[in-house]
Amino acid sequence: MTLDNYDFLTLDGDKLQGYYLKHLIDVMPKERKKIAWEEAFNAAKHWNISTDELIINVWKGGDYEWQYTMENIVRQGYKAILSAPWYLNYISYGRDWTKYYTQDPHTFLNYASGNDISRENVIGGQVCMWMEFIDESNLEPTLWPRASSPAEKLWSSAEMTDWKKAEARFEHHRCRMSRRGIKTQPNSGPGSCRGTMKIKPPYEAAQQYFN
C-alpha cells in the first residue's frame, strides 16, 4: 500500500489480502490447520507466511490446468489440497462421473522437473459444489452417486484409473443408497434398482398435491 503525491491510496490486491491473511492467522489458535483458496498463495509470499502456517486449496483450472498451480505451490514447500476437477455443480449429459475417476492430485508429478518437490505435500482432494442452481429439491441426486467417483479415486491407489471396472460397483452402490432413502440419479444409462421405486396411486398423489 502506498500514498502518492496526489493523496490517492493505491492498493495491491495480493498485498492487501496477505495483510489480512497474516493478521487472521496470528489471532487463530496455533494448533489449528489453516486452509485457504489458491489466491492466498500469492498473498502469502508478500507477508512471509510460512509453509507450516497455511494449506492451499487449488480450486481453479479445469480438467488439467490445475497441474501447473499444484506444481508451483508444492515446489514452494506449501501443502496442497485439490478440488479443481471435482465441482459437481457442472453437469453434462451421460456418464460425467467417469472424468472424475481419471483425475489424480499427484498427476502433475509425472511432468514436473527437478527433485525439489515432495509428494507428501499433496494432502489429497475435496469434492465441491456451488449452489446457484442447487437447492433441497436436487441436492442429493446431483451429489449421488457422482461424488462416489472422486471418493473411490482418492481412497485408492494411483493405478486404479479404469472407470469401466468401477462401473458395476457404482451401479450396486447407487442401488444401496436408494434403498437407504438417499435420492440418487442413474449413473450409467437406463436401469433400475429393485425395491426402491414407490409409486403412489393417482388419487393419493392428487390428494397430497391439493392439500
PDB file of all heavy atoms in Angstrom, residues 191-207:
ATOM      1  N   GLY A 191     -31.643 -48.200 -16.342  1.00  0.00           N
ATOM      2  CA  GLY A 191     -31.502 -49.250 -15.341  1.00  0.00           C
ATOM      3  C   GLY A 191     -32.473 -48.996 -14.209  1.00  0.00           C
ATOM      4  O   GLY A 191     -33.175 -47.985 -14.189  1.00  0.00           O
ATOM      5  N   SER A 192     -32.536 -49.906 -13.274  1.00  0.00           N
ATOM      6  CA  SER A 192     -33.424 -49.733 -12.134  1.00  0.00           C
ATOM      7  C   SER A 192     -32.866 -50.484 -10.945  1.00  0.00           C
ATOM      8  O   SER A 192     -32.035 -51.380 -11.079  1.00  0.00           O
ATOM      9  CB  SER A 192     -34.836 -50.256 -12.463  1.00  0.00           C
ATOM     10  OG  SER A 192     -34.796 -51.648 -12.746  1.00  0.00           O
ATOM     11  N   CYS A 193     -33.324 -50.074  -9.767  1.00  0.00           N
ATOM     12  CA  CYS A 193     -32.915 -50.730  -8.530  1.00  0.00           C
ATOM     13  C   CYS A 193     -34.126 -51.388  -7.905  1.00  0.00           C
ATOM     14  O   CYS A 193     -35.137 -50.734  -7.667  1.00  0.00           O
ATOM     15  CB  CYS A 193     -32.314 -49.705  -7.554  1.00  0.00           C
ATOM     16  SG  CYS A 193     -30.840 -48.883  -8.168  1.00  0.00           S
ATOM     17  N   ARG A 194     -34.029 -52.671  -7.658  1.00  0.00           N
ATOM     18  CA  ARG A 194     -35.149 -53.418  -7.117  1.00  0.00           C
ATOM     19  C   ARG A 194     -35.539 -52.928  -5.734  1.00  0.00           C
ATOM     20  O   ARG A 194     -34.698 -52.711  -4.878  1.00  0.00           O
ATOM     21  CB  ARG A 194     -34.762 -54.888  -7.025  1.00  0.00           C
ATOM     22  CG  ARG A 194     -35.686 -55.790  -7.816  1.00  0.00           C
ATOM     23  CD  ARG A 194     -35.239 -57.214  -7.680  1.00  0.00           C
ATOM     24  NE  ARG A 194     -34.964 -57.752  -8.983  1.00  0.00           N
ATOM     25  CZ  ARG A 194     -34.661 -59.006  -9.206  1.00  0.00           C
ATOM     26  NH1 ARG A 194     -34.533 -59.826  -8.197  1.00  0.00           N
ATOM     27  NH2 ARG A 194     -34.469 -59.434 -10.415  1.00  0.00           N
ATOM     28  N   GLY A 195     -36.841 -52.752  -5.542  1.00  0.00           N
ATOM     29  CA  GLY A 195     -37.334 -52.419  -4.211  1.00  0.00           C
ATOM     30  C   GLY A 195     -37.157 -50.975  -3.795  1.00  0.00           C
ATOM     31  O   GLY A 195     -37.291 -50.657  -2.625  1.00  0.00           O
ATOM     32  N   THR A 196     -36.857 -50.093  -4.748  1.00  0.00           N
ATOM     33  CA  THR A 196     -36.628 -48.697  -4.368  1.00  0.00           C
ATOM     34  C   THR A 196     -37.675 -47.749  -4.923  1.00  0.00           C
ATOM     35  O   THR A 196     -37.846 -46.650  -4.416  1.00  0.00           O
ATOM     36  CB  THR A 196     -35.251 -48.222  -4.862  1.00  0.00           C
ATOM     37  OG1 THR A 196     -35.188 -48.342  -6.280  1.00  0.00           O
ATOM     38  CG2 THR A 196     -34.145 -49.042  -4.234  1.00  0.00           C
ATOM     39  N   MET A 197     -38.391 -48.137  -5.966  1.00  0.00           N
ATOM     40  CA  MET A 197     -39.339 -47.216  -6.583  1.00  0.00           C
ATOM     41  C   MET A 197     -40.701 -47.335  -5.911  1.00  0.00           C
ATOM     42  O   MET A 197     -41.267 -48.422  -5.823  1.00  0.00           O
ATOM     43  CB  MET A 197     -39.476 -47.497  -8.082  1.00  0.00           C
ATOM     44  CG  MET A 197     -40.358 -46.482  -8.797  1.00  0.00           C
ATOM     45  SD  MET A 197     -40.196 -46.564 -10.593  1.00  0.00           S
ATOM     46  CE  MET A 197     -38.557 -45.988 -10.841  1.00  0.00           C
ATOM     47  N   LYS A 198     -41.208 -46.230  -5.426  1.00  0.00           N
ATOM     48  CA  LYS A 198     -42.508 -46.199  -4.757  1.00  0.00           C
ATOM     49  C   LYS A 198     -43.451 -45.293  -5.544  1.00  0.00           C
ATOM     50  O   LYS A 198     -43.262 -44.085  -5.594  1.00  0.00           O
ATOM     51  CB  LYS A 198     -42.355 -45.688  -3.326  1.00  0.00           C
ATOM     52  CG  LYS A 198     -41.458 -46.574  -2.462  1.00  0.00           C
ATOM     53  CD  LYS A 198     -41.284 -46.006  -1.078  1.00  0.00           C
ATOM     54  CE  LYS A 198     -40.354 -46.891  -0.247  1.00  0.00           C
ATOM     55  NZ  LYS A 198     -40.157 -46.337   1.115  1.00  0.00           N
ATOM     56  N   ILE A 199     -44.444 -45.898  -6.177  1.00  0.00           N
ATOM     57  CA  ILE A 199     -45.397 -45.137  -6.980  1.00  0.00           C
ATOM     58  C   ILE A 199     -46.734 -45.102  -6.250  1.00  0.00           C
ATOM     59  O   ILE A 199     -47.329 -46.139  -5.954  1.00  0.00           O
ATOM     60  CB  ILE A 199     -45.582 -45.778  -8.371  1.00  0.00           C
ATOM     61  CG1 ILE A 199     -44.224 -45.853  -9.075  1.00  0.00           C
ATOM     62  CG2 ILE A 199     -46.592 -44.998  -9.202  1.00  0.00           C
ATOM     63  CD1 ILE A 199     -44.271 -46.536 -10.423  1.00  0.00           C
ATOM     64  N   LYS A 200     -47.200 -43.919  -5.948  1.00  0.00           N
ATOM     65  CA  LYS A 200     -48.466 -43.774  -5.246  1.00  0.00           C
ATOM     66  C   LYS A 200     -49.630 -43.870  -6.231  1.00  0.00           C
ATOM     67  O   LYS A 200     -49.514 -43.444  -7.375  1.00  0.00           O
ATOM     68  CB  LYS A 200     -48.523 -42.425  -4.524  1.00  0.00           C
ATOM     69  CG  LYS A 200     -47.518 -42.298  -3.391  1.00  0.00           C
ATOM     70  CD  LYS A 200     -47.709 -40.979  -2.665  1.00  0.00           C
ATOM     71  CE  LYS A 200     -46.744 -40.884  -1.482  1.00  0.00           C
ATOM     72  NZ  LYS A 200     -46.923 -39.617  -0.737  1.00  0.00           N
ATOM     73  N   PRO A 201     -50.765 -44.406  -5.800  1.00  0.00           N
ATOM     74  CA  PRO A 201     -51.960 -44.400  -6.647  1.00  0.00           C
ATOM     75  C   PRO A 201     -52.331 -42.969  -7.021  1.00  0.00           C
ATOM     76  O   PRO A 201     -52.064 -42.038  -6.259  1.00  0.00           O
ATOM     77  CB  PRO A 201     -53.036 -45.030  -5.740  1.00  0.00           C
ATOM     78  CG  PRO A 201     -52.267 -45.793  -4.703  1.00  0.00           C
ATOM     79  CD  PRO A 201     -50.984 -45.054  -4.504  1.00  0.00           C
ATOM     80  N   PRO A 202     -52.940 -42.772  -8.193  1.00  0.00           N
ATOM     81  CA  PRO A 202     -53.249 -41.412  -8.673  1.00  0.00           C
ATOM     82  C   PRO A 202     -54.031 -40.571  -7.684  1.00  0.00           C
ATOM     83  O   PRO A 202     -53.744 -39.388  -7.501  1.00  0.00           O
ATOM     84  CB  PRO A 202     -54.053 -41.673  -9.950  1.00  0.00           C
ATOM     85  CG  PRO A 202     -53.605 -43.029 -10.399  1.00  0.00           C
ATOM     86  CD  PRO A 202     -53.314 -43.809  -9.161  1.00  0.00           C
ATOM     87  N   TYR A 203     -55.023 -41.193  -7.004  1.00  0.00           N
ATOM     88  CA  TYR A 203     -55.845 -40.376  -6.098  1.00  0.00           C
ATOM     89  C   TYR A 203     -55.038 -39.915  -4.889  1.00  0.00           C
ATOM     90  O   TYR A 203     -55.250 -38.832  -4.358  1.00  0.00           O
ATOM     91  CB  TYR A 203     -57.086 -41.177  -5.645  1.00  0.00           C
ATOM     92  CG  TYR A 203     -56.794 -42.371  -4.775  1.00  0.00           C
ATOM     93  CD1 TYR A 203     -56.740 -42.255  -3.386  1.00  0.00           C
ATOM     94  CD2 TYR A 203     -56.550 -43.634  -5.345  1.00  0.00           C
ATOM     95  CE1 TYR A 203     -56.462 -43.352  -2.590  1.00  0.00           C
ATOM     96  CE2 TYR A 203     -56.271 -44.732  -4.551  1.00  0.00           C
ATOM     97  CZ  TYR A 203     -56.235 -44.591  -3.178  1.00  0.00           C
ATOM     98  OH  TYR A 203     -55.957 -45.667  -2.386  1.00  0.00           O
ATOM     99  N   GLU A 204     -54.084 -40.741  -4.445  1.00  0.00           N
ATOM    100  CA  GLU A 204     -53.233 -40.343  -3.318  1.00  0.00           C
ATOM    101  C   GLU A 204     -52.331 -39.187  -3.704  1.00  0.00           C
ATOM    102  O   GLU A 204     -52.156 -38.227  -2.954  1.00  0.00           O
ATOM    103  CB  GLU A 204     -52.360 -41.532  -2.875  1.00  0.00           C
ATOM    104  CG  GLU A 204     -52.897 -42.235  -1.651  1.00  0.00           C
ATOM    105  CD  GLU A 204     -51.899 -43.252  -1.132  1.00  0.00           C
ATOM    106  OE1 GLU A 204     -50.755 -42.850  -0.818  1.00  0.00           O
ATOM    107  OE2 GLU A 204     -52.258 -44.425  -1.051  1.00  0.00           O
ATOM    108  N   ALA A 205     -51.736 -39.282  -4.895  1.00  0.00           N
ATOM    109  CA  ALA A 205     -50.851 -38.228  -5.370  1.00  0.00           C
ATOM    110  C   ALA A 205     -51.614 -36.923  -5.535  1.00  0.00           C
ATOM    111  O   ALA A 205     -51.122 -35.851  -5.161  1.00  0.00           O
ATOM    112  CB  ALA A 205     -50.215 -38.653  -6.697  1.00  0.00           C
ATOM    113  N   ALA A 206     -52.833 -36.995  -6.096  1.00  0.00           N
ATOM    114  CA  ALA A 206     -53.646 -35.799  -6.295  1.00  0.00           C
ATOM    115  C   ALA A 206     -54.054 -35.181  -4.954  1.00  0.00           C
ATOM    116  O   ALA A 206     -54.013 -33.967  -4.767  1.00  0.00           O
ATOM    117  CB  ALA A 206     -54.878 -36.126  -7.117  1.00  0.00           C
ATOM    118  N   GLN A 207     -54.415 -36.052  -4.006  1.00  0.00           N
ATOM    119  CA  GLN A 207     -54.821 -35.557  -2.688  1.00  0.00           C
ATOM    120  C   GLN A 207     -53.654 -34.847  -1.989  1.00  0.00           C
ATOM    121  O   GLN A 207     -53.839 -33.777  -1.391  1.00  0.00           O
ATOM    122  CB  GLN A 207     -55.300 -36.735  -1.824  1.00  0.00           C
ATOM    123  CG  GLN A 207     -55.925 -36.292  -0.513  1.00  0.00           C
ATOM    124  CD  GLN A 207     -56.446 -37.478   0.286  1.00  0.00           C
ATOM    125  OE1 GLN A 207     -55.925 -38.595   0.153  1.00  0.00           O
ATOM    126  NE2 GLN A 207     -57.464 -37.274   1.086  1.00  0.00           N
TER     127      GLN A 207
END
